[in-house]
Amino acid sequence: MPIKLKKISTLSTLLFLTIFSNPSGAELGDIAKQNPINYKPHWLVIHSSNYYDGESDDLVTAGMGFTALSKMIQKVYYADPSNPTPQELRRAKLNRFIDTKTGEGSLFGFKREDLSPLFDGKIAGTEILATIKDENVGLLLQVPVDFNKKKPCIVAVPASGSDGLYNAKDIQIRGLWGLKHNCAVVYNDKGLGTGIYDITNEQGFTVDGQVAKDNILFKPTIQNPKEFIKNNPHRYAVKQLHSKQNQEASWSKYNFFSIIFAMYELNELFPEPGKLSFSESNTLILIYGAEDGATAALKMAESDAMGKINGVVAVNPQIQPRQDSAIENKSYHSLPDYSTYGALYIPCAIPAIEPNKQDKYVPEASKYLFSQNRCDALKQANILPTGTPKEALNKLYDYGWKPEMSIQLPYFYLNESIAYPYKYISAYGRYDVTENMCDFSVASTQQDPYFNSGEVKPLKQVNFAEIWGLSNGQLPIWANHDATAIDLVENKDVTSPRREWFSSSTIEHQIDYGTKGAICLREKIKEPRVIKGSEEVQATGNLNKIKTFIVHGKNNPKQLIDHTSRPYVALNSKVEGKESQLRYIEVENASYLDGKAPFDNTLLPIDYYGEEAIEWLWANLTNQVNLPESQVIRTKARGGIIGQAPQATAENLVPISQTPDTNNLITVDNGKIIFPQ
């Protein structure tokens, strides 16, 4: 007979009983091994526990160290590429080039001043990998060797974007901050992870990246699979797109479960006879997320009606505030709305974008050889009257993109493509993989970059087992710099199924970047099933008086500021009024990109300001330092030409001011957000 919830900490009780209202979820599993009064949650499945010595392997760099990562991206090596080990895959995921010229390594993240010949940023500690049973949500806990048991703290990091547990920036920036402050850090994959399923070979990935047929992150149910495979060879199902669960509606729950998991494991790692040493009453709990992880952080605060979370930092949140007529700016759009609008017009608009005055070209714009074909197709569809790139660009400006964002658009669409709006609409509409919504499907494509036309082909140059290490949670998954391994494909291309980038909608060999699919996707936002799913994830604006920072890049073309953070801040002021503890930091010359080439001379890393914000939060919670007011940060771009920008300094990355002057102060009052002139 399971033990009832009254046996565990107050936080867990509150979470289950007041937030989830699920009596069956209020049951626990077996008595813990180390502490007889520490009951293991019945939904928790532990997969592995490893101790890393900080030399041969570590929590943050998988043994590579800061010096190696800051010189170049390391070569990924698998002893057997068809069967990589979990440690090899973990190393591949954490293999990120740290460009120190952006300021990382001096102003944020790893600090060179903290390193020595004996310490290269490798942090020793214990790492525990787990899942939430039935929903197969990945959880990862890191406990450093110098965890502060007297003043315990937990930093919860929901995965960025649609990625899984080992997102390198999550671990090496957000997680690193927590570990350096002697906190335990717990990650969750928000129910997405690398949930890719090979339909033909009936295989997917376990939480640690192993290829398997069962006990995997996602396995769709397909009626008559042989017939489906015959008509749709080399196809894949993706958890976010095809699970029909709309996981985003459960992100706050997954975050809370991750904290319960962390509390349980801390009480196991450091048992004391007859008591639980760690609970919400004596443990500082912070949430720190970026992009969709930032959305999950805010949604968690909205769900914490009892105020057990101490603070939140949300960087570039893809938050979708509910519509409220009391908000002064009533023109903000939903994510399905503005993302499909962008996918429709960006490929046409590229030739109209002008380079910065110091540069001779717009990054990646030269790859758009068929933009006019897209413009002509939009004109024929009666949605672009003159059919010119300039008209398309002006339509984007009217919908929320800004001229200062425009040079990022070719890069943004090349790397995000139609798959960006598609994944949200498919999730909100709970589409099955067999529906091939808008005649799209996910397939393996030509991996050879030579004479590549994006056709559907079996995986050859890349093993399926390597996909876990290559994936960042979104499509396309690149096999190399110039070709994809897996991507969204147009099933009804006039020649044969292929990537939208190479697709012709009406005339053979006349590439228009799959206009018909983009138009269809735009129309899907009006379908009741999509509207219903979208409404399930809308934010209320009620942060329950939790101390919160929202940090957003003003030049962000992905999480459009006029449709995300700005209306959310206004909504919060309407809902919470003077009791709100929200601070809003808007950063000039910052985006979702991190300031590396080809944007090194125009953009600065937003993660510097995420770290600044959580340092302020920490100082307030531990030393009662007054929090700064909401403000615009007047940064200075590094300048120079693409690829040759000088070193970022404090003159570029201007710190957050505790008392900003009136020229930088943002004021918010009863649904109105007022910016300085």
Side-chain angles (χ1 to χ4, degrees):
M1 181 72 180
I3 305 298
K4 293 299 180 181
L5 191 61
K6 62 183 180 180
K7 293 289 186 180
I8 63 172
S9 72
T10 306
L11 174 61
S12 300
T13 307
L14 292 171
L15 297 182
F16 278 95
L17 297 183
T18 69
I19 297 173
F20 303 139
S21 300
N22 180 8
S24 63
E27 297 180 346
L28 297 175
D30 299 330
I31 293 175
K33 295 179 181 179
Q34 302 299 325
N35 192 332
I37 65 169
N38 186 31
Y39 293 96
K40 179 182 175 184
H42 79 284
W43 44 263
L44 181 62
V45 180
I46 305 297
H47 292 269
S48 64
S49 179
N50 293 292
Y51 175 76
Y52 298 121
D53 60 12
E55 295 181 12
S56 61
D57 208 338
D58 72 289
L59 297 175
V60 183
T61 73
M64 291 176 279
F66 170 80
T67 301
L69 292 175
S70 63
K71 288 182 176 179
M72 66 181 71
I73 193 162
Q74 303 299 295
K75 183 176 176 58
V76 176
Y77 175 77
Y78 300 124
D80 178 4
S82 65
N83 188 28
T85 68
Q87 294 307 316
E88 289 173 336
L89 290 165
R90 179 176 174 271
R91 184 183 176 99
K93 288 285 286 182
L94 295 179
N95 184 10
R96 175 181 74 99
F97 171 55
I98 299 173
D99 184 354
T100 56
K101 292 187 76 174
T102 66
E104 187 175 357
S106 56
L107 300 176
F108 70 102
F110 291 100
K111 300 284 183 66
R112 287 186 186 276
E113 63 192 43
D114 299 333
L115 306 180
S116 70
L118 298 177
F119 176 66
D120 195 25
K122 300 179 184 180
I123 297 179
T126 299
E127 185 173 279
I128 302 170
L129 188 63
T131 53
I132 298 173
K133 188 166 59 176
D134 299 330
E135 296 185 68
N136 292 322
V137 177
L139 305 173
L140 180 71
L141 176 66
Q142 295 181 327
V143 184
V145 288
D146 54 359
F147 174 74
N148 191 337
K149 297 187 287 292
K150 293 183 178 179
K151 295 181 179 180
C153 52
I154 295 171
V155 179
V157 181
S160 295
S162 300
D163 208 350
L165 295 173
Y166 290 100
N167 178 281
K169 288 179 70 175
D170 279 342
I171 288 180
Q172 293 166 2
I173 293 177
R174 286 167 279 283
L176 174 65
W177 183 91
L179 297 173
K180 289 198 303 182
H181 286 71
N182 311 117
C183 300
V185 181
V186 64
Y187 309 82
N188 78 87
D189 68 11
K190 309 193 314 297
L192 307 179
T194 309
I196 301 170
Y197 184 79
D198 178 350
I199 297 172
T200 301
N201 297 299
E202 300 180 321
Q203 59 186 4
F205 293 107
T206 61
V207 71
D208 61 356
Q210 297 294 281
V211 176
K213 293 186 178 294
D214 297 299
N215 298 317
I216 54 181
L217 291 172
F218 174 53
K219 185 176 184 178
T221 300
I222 299 176
Q223 301 296 328
N224 198 352
K226 291 183 177 179
E227 185 69 19
F228 179 82
I229 293 168
K230 178 182 177 182
N231 296 326
N232 303 272
H234 315 306
R235 295 312 201 271
Y236 296 78
V238 179
K239 189 175 183 180
Q240 182 175 11
L241 278 64
H242 303 127
S243 68
K244 300 185 290 185
Q245 294 177 350
N246 193 14
Q247 287 93 346
E248 187 175 342
S250 298
W251 283 353
S252 60
K253 179 177 75 171
Y254 300 152
N255 278 323
F256 279 121
F257 272 45
S258 75
I259 292 172
I260 295 170
F261 159 57
M263 288 285 193
Y264 164 75
E265 288 295 345
L266 289 175
N267 282 304
E268 280 294 279
L269 289 169
F270 309 107
E272 290 193 36
K275 71 173 185 176
L276 297 177
S277 299
F278 308 104
S279 67
E280 85 288 351
S281 64
N282 68 355
T283 304
L284 191 69
I285 301 173
L286 304 176
I287 320 298
Y288 187 8
E291 299 193 16
D292 277 349
T295 305
L298 293 174
K299 297 299 287 291
M300 184 176 189
E302 290 188 348
S303 297
D304 186 19
M306 304 306 293
K308 299 303 177 182
I309 307 305
N310 299 102
V312 172
V313 172
V315 180
N316 283 335
Q318 186 78 79
I319 195 74
Q320 298 184 70
R322 62 174 171 81
Q323 294 293 324
D324 191 313
S325 59
I327 296 178
E328 185 176 42
N329 174 17
K330 304 181 184 67
S331 62
Y332 58 94
H333 302 292
S334 69
L335 172 58
D337 187 348
Y338 72 77
S339 63
T340 54
Y341 195 89
L344 201 59
Y345 291 107
I346 288 173
C348 166
I350 301 304
I353 299 172
E354 297 287 339
N356 282 317
K357 59 183 179 180
Q358 67 268 37
D359 296 317
K360 296 181 179 179
Y361 65 97
V362 176
E364 307 291 8
S366 63
K367 295 182 178 180
Y368 290 76
L369 302 177
F370 309 103
S371 288
Q372 190 56 53
N373 291 347
R374 167 58 76 91
C375 297
D376 293 341
L378 295 177
K379 181 179 180 180
Q380 188 175 1
N382 297 316
I383 52 178
L384 193 69
T386 66
T388 65
K390 184 64 174 176
E391 182 187 15
L393 188 59
N394 286 334
K395 288 178 78 71
L396 292 170
Y397 291 162
D398 291 341
Y399 223 72
W401 285 266
K402 307 295 184 185
E404 55 268 27
M405 301 175 185
S406 62
I407 62 166
Q408 300 174 64
L409 293 179
Y411 181 95
F412 166 67
Y413 192 80
L414 179 67
N415 288 278
E416 303 282 347
S417 74
I418 195 72
Y420 182 64
Y422 191 94
K423 65 181 179 181
Y424 293 106
I425 291 173
S426 186
Y428 298 157
R430 291 179 166 85
Y431 285 92
D432 190 87
V433 65
T434 60
E435 290 185 77
N436 288 337
M437 189 254 288
C438 283
D439 291 319
F440 283 108
S441 60
V442 179
S444 52
T445 56
Q446 286 175 279
Q447 298 114 66
D448 190 333
Y450 300 104
F451 305 106
N452 191 302
S453 59
E455 290 185 274
V456 173
K457 297 288 184 181
L459 289 178
K460 186 176 181 181
Q461 282 87 354
V462 174
N463 288 292
F464 180 70
E466 296 175 86
I467 293 296
W468 195 88
L470 291 171
S471 174
N472 63 1
Q474 66 188 33
L475 298 171
I477 298 172
W478 294 88
N480 49 64
H481 185 69
D482 297 306
T484 59
I486 294 176
D487 197 5
L488 205 63
V489 299
E490 294 259 14
N491 293 330
K492 295 295 181 66
D493 176 87
V494 294
T495 303
S496 64
R498 66 192 61 228
R499 290 184 61 208
E500 166 242 11
W501 181 255
F502 296 98
S503 182
S504 305
S505 291
T506 55
I507 302 174
E508 192 172 4
H509 304 306
Q510 184 169 304
I511 294 173
D512 62 2
Y513 307 118
T515 305
K516 281 188 176 179
I519 292 174
C520 173
L521 201 59
R522 178 73 181 154
E523 293 172 346
K524 285 291 178 183
I525 69 174
K526 302 173 186 175
E527 289 201 359
R529 63 195 289 189
V530 176
I531 293 172
K532 180 177 182 294
S534 183
E535 289 175 345
E536 291 172 359
V537 305
Q538 287 181 354
T540 66
N542 185 359
L543 291 168
N544 292 301
K545 307 178 188 64
I546 294 171
K547 294 175 181 178
T548 301
F549 278 89
I550 291 179
V551 178
H552 210 115
K554 189 175 180 180
N555 292 11
N556 187 340
K558 184 177 180 181
Q559 293 90 21
L560 286 179
I561 203 164
D562 283 336
H563 305 315
T564 54
S565 288
R566 285 181 174 180
Y568 184 82
V569 171
L571 178 62
N572 169 262
S573 75
K574 180 67 178 177
V575 173
E576 291 196 292
K578 300 298 182 183
E579 294 184 315
S580 173
Q581 294 292 310
L582 172 61
R583 266 69 175 176
Y584 177 50
I585 310 298
E586 188 166 295
V587 186
E588 293 183 343
N589 301 307
S591 175
Y592 74 102
L593 300 169
D594 52 14
K596 296 178 183 177
F599 301 105
D600 53 328
N601 61 337
T602 55
L603 295 177
L604 296 166
I606 193 68
D607 285 318
Y608 167 78
Y609 291 98
E611 190 165 299
E612 273 265 287
I614 201 163
E615 284 287 0
W616 277 109
L617 197 58
W618 179 263
N620 172 266
L621 293 169
T622 59
N623 291 310
Q624 292 74 53
V625 173
N626 290 334
L627 292 174
E629 297 299 319
S630 297
Q631 59 194 273
V632 175
I633 307 292
R634 312 288 186 184
T635 63
K636 180 183 177 182
R638 291 157 62 192
I641 61 175
I642 292 173
Q644 298 182 36
Q647 173 71 41
T649 68
E651 291 185 1
N652 306 108
L653 291 164
V654 179
I656 296 172
S657 173
Q658 188 176 36
T659 55
D661 62 38
T662 55
N663 293 325
N664 300 324
L665 184 67
I666 297 173
T667 55
V668 187
D669 181 45
N670 197 31
K672 296 179 181 180
I673 181 168
I674 303 169
F675 291 90
Q677 295 298 318

